[in-house]
Amino acid sequence: MSTFQYDVLVIGAGGAGLMAALYASKSANTAVLSKLYPTRSHTGAAQGGISAALGNHEEDHWEWHAYDTVKGSDYLGDQDAIEIMCREAIDVVIELEHMGLPFDRTPEGKIAQRPFGGHTRNYGEAPVRRACHAADRTGHMILQTLYQQCIKHNVNFFDEFQVLDLIIEDGVCKGAIAYEIDTGEIHTFHAKAVILATGGWGKCWSVTSNAFTLTGDGAAIVLRHGVPLEDMEFFQFHPTGIWKMGILITEGVRGEGGILRNNLGERFMERYSPTLKDLAPRDVVSRAIYMEIREGRGIDGKDYVYLDATHLGRERIEKKLPDIADFCRTYLGIDPAEQPMPVQPTAHYAMGGIPTDVDGRVIVDANNTPLYGLYAAGEVACVSVHGANRLGTNSLLDLVVFGRRAGIHAAAFANEIEFQPIPDNADEPTRELVERVRTHDGDENVATIRAEMQKLMMNNVGVFRTEELLTEAVEKLKELKERARNISIQDKGKRFNQDLLEAIELYNLLDLAEVTALSALNRTESRGAHSREDYPERDDENWLKHTLIYREEDGSYRFDYKPVTITKFEPKPRVY
Amino acid sequence: MKVKLRIKRFNPEKDKEPWWGEYDVEMDPTDRVLDALHYVKWHIDGTLTLRRSCGHGICGSDAMRINGVNRLACKVLLRDVAPVVTVEPILGLPVIKDLVVDMEPFMAQYRSVMPYFVNDEPPPPRERLQSPEERAVFDDTTKCILCACCTTSCPSFWARGEYVGPAAIVQAHRFIFDSRDRAAAQRLEILNEPDGIWRCRTVYNCTNACPREIKITEAIAEVKKALLFSRL
Ligand SMILES: Cc1cc2nc3c(=O)[nH]c(=O)nc-3n(C[C@H](O)[C@H](O)[C@H](O)COP(=O)(O)OP(=O)(O)OC[C@H]3O[C@@H](n4cnc5c(N)ncnc54)[C@H](O)[C@@H]3O)c2cc1C
Ligand code: SF4
Ligand code: SF4
Ligand code: FES
């Protein structure tokens, strides 16, 4: 065991964590802890693009981008934060280019842009080309570029260190407790500021575009420390995952002209979204696919539809969507230039998360009271710029804009204060947890409980929800949590004990599944990705507000609410 | 479909020598090798250890030797390798446990070639311009996910672990041929060292192993050419 001391500790090495680390390390002694090698982070999976109103192909303005984001969020996004994001987008994308990011280029040599769902010209008139891209591997390029810059600037990395707890005392965060995967040692990291950038929790669901390692550790840890989670009922289902596998087929396919078709060959999106059609926002398209399936128009009567790109031509596909073509060949044995791709909605992105202000500071109540020393950025955070539904390409943007802001603010904060003393036994709860999981002799298995939870979440807390389904989910999750106490693992060793870590990750997933189901049951309206069949309308009078869910000491939950910040755009009916 | 997995096991806390574990599992032909390994780990022997994350060939975590060839376990379907599937750790890096190897020597080689963009001229207010043609020159080598399939299948690397290896050369190529970068000469100098690019004997193992289908040998040849024509 050792104790390390850093001014700023960044937990997570995806786009958000690396951006925060680059900025924090300019003026503060900074270390990055990551349970994966940084380049394994799921930011590398992002395909389609990062949005910024550069206007490289046609007229565009950040105000249009802000409007689209607000409307896309079904008016739940905080408009002050959205304005910051869309304004800073231009400068941050240029900064990435200056760091060497290899964007695709226009004939004049500028950054190339493509259309994406919900991004429009002049407040909703027609799609606009706003997504800056590098083929269909934009996230890979962002992750690589940021990691390369971290190497260049000698940022300290602790790779394969899994954080299991935070040190929070008297409303101040003072560090983290990490498990060194290789050795099984538990280390204390004493810090002045901690930035959580641990990504999402798609692994709560059975069909997901998310990595096996996206288990929401950061969100679950703060929840147990009494920090609320915001808007957890809003989880995005991306309309086009590979049938049964969930692997993502980027919206960029539709951006390039791909079309969704049912078993009759109909372009059914024309009925659901006359203006934007296949480029409507994700919540709209995912619901449309489910409606088609429900009305018997899935392919072969099954639960999928076709994404047709055959008319784009082989050259365009190989050039603009090479990785998608590769996935289709590898996993489906089909050639997308010849055959349509079987797709179904896949659990994709957490709009909700740890509440923060626009500088990444974690806040603990409706009055925006900060928890000193604790920051969050990226998918784990809820600023909230995505509200009830995120537009494609806005997450990569969120990572770099708010990762940067969090890094700058955390370093400035750290430079103003002294290290706060931490207790000698700060790691005690973690040691107990690890020992209990390692030695407990029960008759339950991690994989079985996880699979049951994932299926339950898919069926009951998916695209369409009802009181009945959600109530059942809440009850069953309670049972699963009870059973999970009786898990027994087989690996009792210290070296690279993933058996142990998977059990701890399951506890995190179960907590997040539970708060998701509870928040969804609580919100009796339909808005964005949260679609209640028993409350099909948006209800601004009662529900134009953010949910905060708190866990009490006794394990029960309590709700509170936070007003939505509205600056320019008053809520209107949302038609596309 | 019945599949027999033969997995090279080694747990330094218990085993003196590596041993072969055999597991019979029932899987779909379209399942990935990774799914079969997960089945073993989740339902037969929880001590089986491997790295993985994305599950679809883009994070580079699960490079291993599958039936004697370096592959990503998540990118190989069982129907293409069954009924008997032999799985071993990649060669030439120290084994930590089962299929997990110590990646640090590989990452050190990566870091040695200045794998980052260098241009200290004051940047323009907007993006640096680059034509689609200039961009295309290094497109292939931007795809690398640092999985190590190439380097750990290279006979020159097996013979001498200090050889910088194809993955690092791929990374160097990505920057040497980027029209915006200004440190090509320094990288070429690094690759001109005794354990640099000249250890490559052009055996093509690396190219065959690359899950991103990067034309590695071609990239190496381009760097060699750049070295021959630069006056170092
Ligand atoms: C397939 C796919 C395609 C996408 N395409 C796009 C797109 O085109 N455009 C767009 O804008 N968005 C896209 N998204 C969304 C976007 O990519 C993600 O929201 C974003 O990358 C999340 O980044 P992050 O930095 O928050 O976390 P991640 O990149 O997920 O990184 C999480 C980090 O936290 C670390 N970590 C986690 N838990 C712990 C712990 N306990 N201890 C230590 N470290 C820990 C991990 O090691 C990792 O480094 C896509 C998402 C997916 C899944
Ligand atoms: S071509 Fe060169 S780098 Fe590739 S395997 Fe052969 S010797 Fe190694
Ligand atoms: S060049 Fe290919 S095989 Fe080598 S590390 Fe990169 S992706 Fe892997
Ligand atoms: S798990 Fe990511 S490459 Fe295989």
Side-chain angles (χ1 to χ4, degrees):
Chain A
M1 183 209 53
S2 16
T3 301
F4 297 89
Q5 241 188 15
Y6 287 96
D7 295 334
V8 178
L9 206 61
V10 179
I11 302 173
L18 293 180
M19 194 71 176
L22 267 178
Y23 270 87
S25 61
K26 285 182 194 208
S27 63
N29 189 14
T30 301
V32 183
L33 271 63
S34 174
K35 68 179 180 181
L36 304 172
Y37 271 96
T39 57
R40 315 292 185 224
S41 304
H42 212 55
T43 293
Q47 302 168 352
I50 175 167
S51 48
L54 299 180
N56 281 356
H57 297 266
E58 54 189 320
E59 184 182 356
D60 199 4
H61 302 282
W62 71 261
E63 292 88 346
W64 295 356
H65 186 184
Y67 168 78
D68 292 336
T69 303
V70 171
K71 184 176 172 190
S73 80
D74 218 347
Y75 296 91
L76 193 70
D78 287 322
Q79 295 183 17
D80 53 342
I82 291 173
E83 283 173 28
I84 287 175
M85 180 174 81
C86 297
R87 201 168 347 115
E88 292 186 9
I90 295 166
D91 156 71
V92 83
V93 166
I94 297 297
E95 181 181 1
L96 289 173
E97 198 281 336
H98 290 166
M99 289 179 185
L101 198 140
F103 284 108
D104 289 348
R105 298 289 166 157
T106 66
E108 311 82 63
K110 297 189 211 160
I111 295 171
Q113 300 183 279
R114 58 161 69 113
F116 237 77
H119 289 278
T120 70
R121 160 161 64 84
N122 201 16
Y123 307 104
E125 265 176 29
V128 73
R129 300 175 72 169
R130 187 178 290 146
C132 311
H133 58 87
D136 51 358
R137 49 181 91 95
T138 314
H140 166 76
M141 301 298 196
I142 290 180
L143 185 65
Q144 295 286 329
T145 301
L146 292 175
Y147 185 59
Q148 291 155 0
Q149 290 298 309
C150 285
I151 304 257
K152 185 176 179 183
H153 296 287
N154 290 315
V155 173
N156 303 299
F157 281 99
F158 291 84
D159 297 334
E160 298 189 325
F161 275 58
Q162 187 150 340
V163 170
L164 300 185
D165 198 9
L166 292 177
I167 308 169
I168 298 178
E169 277 188 329
D170 313 322
V172 183
C173 181
K174 306 170 180 176
I177 310 294
Y179 180 94
E180 184 177 359
I181 300 178
D182 186 7
T183 62
E185 297 283 320
I186 291 166
H187 304 285
T188 300
F189 285 81
H190 188 188
K192 293 180 185 170
V194 175
I195 304 176
L196 283 170
T198 53
W201 44 92
K203 276 289 151 187
C204 286
W205 287 266
S206 57
V207 176
T208 176
S209 63
N210 282 197
F212 289 101
T213 46
L214 283 177
T215 51
D217 304 352
I221 290 170
V222 299
L223 180 71
R224 290 196 279 269
H225 279 282
V227 175
L229 295 180
E230 181 173 346
D231 291 342
M232 291 296 285
E233 58 274 39
F234 300 102
F235 199 90
Q236 177 165 79
F237 280 72
H238 191 295
T240 59
I242 292 181
W243 185 43
K244 290 204 275 200
M245 299 189 87
I247 297 172
L248 194 77
I249 301 290
T250 174
E251 198 169 296
V253 171
R254 282 170 287 139
E256 295 293 337
I259 290 171
L260 288 162
R261 298 189 190 282
N262 60 21
N263 67 346
L264 305 173
E266 283 175 336
R267 183 180 194 179
F268 57 85
M269 281 313 299
E270 285 177 337
R271 272 186 276 125
Y272 300 90
S273 170
T275 311
L276 296 186
K277 304 192 179 75
D278 296 274
L279 285 174
R282 293 177 177 171
D283 56 333
V284 177
V285 183
S286 285
R287 275 195 294 276
I289 293 176
Y290 266 91
M291 305 283 268
E292 290 297 303
I293 290 167
R294 215 182 258 187
E295 285 163 24
R297 291 192 292 275
I299 309 298
D300 291 337
K302 301 210 176 90
D303 56 344
Y304 67 95
V305 296
Y306 277 144
L307 175 58
D308 184 2
T310 54
H311 54 288
L312 300 183
R314 184 172 309 279
E315 201 192 314
R316 179 122 173 243
I317 291 178
E318 295 297 342
K319 206 160 150 216
K320 296 287 189 66
L321 305 160
D323 282 6
I324 297 300
D326 182 43
F327 296 154
C328 288
R329 283 190 292 262
T330 305
Y331 299 110
L332 295 164
I334 68 163
D335 174 357
E338 302 274 336
Q339 289 157 285
M341 302 163 245
V343 295
Q344 84 183 116
T346 181
H348 185 59
Y349 181 86
M351 268 80 70
I354 306 172
T356 72
D357 67 11
V358 295
D359 288 312
R361 290 194 296 180
V362 171
I363 53 175
V364 295
D365 57 29
N367 304 323
N368 292 331
T369 309
L371 198 167
Y372 287 102
L374 187 61
Y375 295 76
E379 191 170 335
V380 72
C382 179
V383 185
S384 133
V385 284
H386 309 302
N389 172 65
R390 171 175 75 87
L391 294 187
T393 70
N394 268 355
S395 168
L396 290 176
L397 180 60
D398 171 4
L399 306 183
V400 285
V401 168
F402 293 103
R404 183 166 75 171
R405 293 179 79 95
I408 292 170
H409 200 283
F413 174 80
N415 287 330
E416 269 171 23
I417 62 157
E418 299 299 318
F419 279 100
Q420 306 285 306
I422 53 170
D424 290 340
N425 60 350
D427 58 353
E428 201 52 42
T430 306
R431 289 182 184 282
E432 280 166 18
L433 169 73
V434 167
E435 266 331 285
R436 196 182 69 233
V437 176
R438 196 198 306 277
T439 55
H440 187 81
D441 192 15
D443 49 12
E444 293 286 355
N445 166 294
V446 170
T448 309
I449 293 183
R450 189 173 50 210
E452 284 184 39
M453 168 197 69
Q454 290 169 336
K455 216 170 123 209
L456 177 70
M457 290 298 283
M458 203 71 201
N459 291 336
N460 292 38
V461 196
V463 170
F464 283 109
R465 301 156 173 194
T466 64
E467 180 173 338
E468 203 187 336
L469 288 172
L470 292 168
T471 310
E472 185 187 53
V474 169
E475 277 163 16
K476 289 213 166 138
L477 284 165
K478 239 187 232 139
E479 285 166 32
L480 286 174
K481 281 181 77 167
E482 201 50 47
R483 280 170 55 196
R485 296 156 70 97
N486 220 3
I487 279 172
S488 175
I489 61 168
Q490 285 170 288
D491 196 337
K492 309 286 182 192
K494 290 206 121 192
R495 280 218 106 170
F496 233 95
N497 190 341
Q498 283 181 324
D499 213 15
L500 175 92
L501 293 172
E502 280 194 32
I504 292 173
E505 288 171 343
L506 174 64
Y507 293 140
N508 294 339
L509 286 171
L510 282 166
D511 280 347
L512 297 177
E514 190 174 37
V515 294
T516 303
L518 283 165
S519 303
L521 179 60
N522 184 55
R523 185 177 282 267
T524 49
E525 66 155 353
S526 289
R527 183 186 297 270
H530 174 64
S531 217
R532 288 281 302 254
E533 290 191 276
D534 38 2
Y535 298 91
E537 300 299 323
R538 192 175 85 194
D539 175 1
D540 286 338
E541 202 172 310
N542 295 303
W543 285 107
L544 186 59
K545 58 188 180 187
H546 299 289
T547 307
L548 296 176
I549 185 165
Y550 292 81
R551 175 137 119 178
E552 307 283 17
E553 300 251 329
D554 64 359
S556 65
Y557 292 94
R558 157 173 78 84
F559 285 105
D560 199 357
Y561 303 94
K562 203 168 80 112
V564 174
T565 308
I566 293 173
T567 55
K568 289 204 189 93
F569 306 111
E570 285 300 320
K572 280 193 298 205
R574 184 164 165 260
V575 281
Y576 284 99
Chain B
M1 159 168 101
K2 285 201 184 339
V3 177
K4 184 184 281 299
L5 283 165
R6 293 181 66 241
I7 307 174
K8 195 170 196 178
R9 305 290 310 269
F10 178 66
N11 179 350
E13 289 179 289
K14 285 203 294 221
D15 306 323
K16 285 213 177 65
E17 293 289 324
W19 52 280
W20 288 95
E22 295 204 355
Y23 311 89
D24 294 304
V25 293
E26 184 65 40
M27 305 292 300
D28 285 334
T30 53
D31 281 334
R32 301 160 277 202
V33 170
L34 178 62
D35 297 314
L37 293 170
H38 269 154
Y39 188 88
V40 174
K41 177 170 182 58
W42 292 342
H43 300 290
I44 302 174
D45 183 354
T47 68
L48 175 65
T49 303
L50 60 140
R51 289 195 183 96
R52 85 283 182 267
S53 184
C54 72
H56 62 283
I58 48 88
C59 77
S61 299
D62 57 345
M64 47 190 83
R65 254 166 100 81
I66 298 173
N67 288 353
V69 198
N70 280 3
R71 287 282 134 85
L72 299 173
C74 64
K75 262 199 112 174
V76 181
L77 300 192
L78 287 169
R79 65 164 180 233
D80 298 325
V81 287
V84 181
V85 187
T86 305
V87 186
E88 306 160 75
I90 45 179
L91 298 177
L93 294 169
V95 175
I96 291 179
K97 184 174 166 187
D98 293 341
L99 301 167
V100 174
V101 298
D102 180 2
M103 295 293 286
E104 186 40 38
F106 174 83
M107 295 307 287
Q109 288 164 332
Y110 161 76
R111 289 192 298 267
S112 76
V113 297
M114 305 174 65
Y116 41 76
F117 185 74
V118 178
N119 184 335
D120 297 330
E121 299 154 17
R126 293 284 291 210
E127 63 263 54
R128 290 192 165 97
L129 298 181
Q130 180 170 57
S131 72
E133 295 72 30
E134 287 169 330
R135 168 67 178 77
V137 177
F138 65 102
D139 185 59
D140 205 34
T141 45
T142 63
K143 298 189 309 203
C144 175
I145 54 175
L146 297 170
C147 67
C149 278
C150 54
T151 297
T152 60
S153 65
C154 167
S156 301
F157 171 72
W158 295 338
R160 189 171 161 81
E162 287 77 18
Y163 166 41
V164 68
I169 302 174
V170 162
Q171 289 293 331
H173 179 281
R174 179 251 169 274
F175 292 101
I176 290 170
F177 291 94
D178 186 333
S179 58
R180 304 166 297 168
D181 186 88
R182 296 290 175 264
Q186 281 158 275
R187 291 192 196 91
L188 288 172
E189 217 166 304
I190 293 167
L191 292 175
N192 204 22
E193 294 290 310
D195 283 314
I197 197 164
W198 304 111
R199 289 210 176 267
C200 166
R201 300 279 178 262
T202 323
V203 200
Y204 284 100
N205 279 22
C206 53
T207 305
N208 295 335
C210 179
R212 302 291 284 165
E213 294 171 22
I214 298 171
K215 297 182 202 74
I216 302 176
T217 330
E218 233 168 74
I220 294 176
E222 284 171 11
V223 176
K224 282 183 179 168
K225 212 155 115 199
L227 259 172
L228 288 174
F229 290 100
S230 70
R231 275 154 295 154
L232 279 173

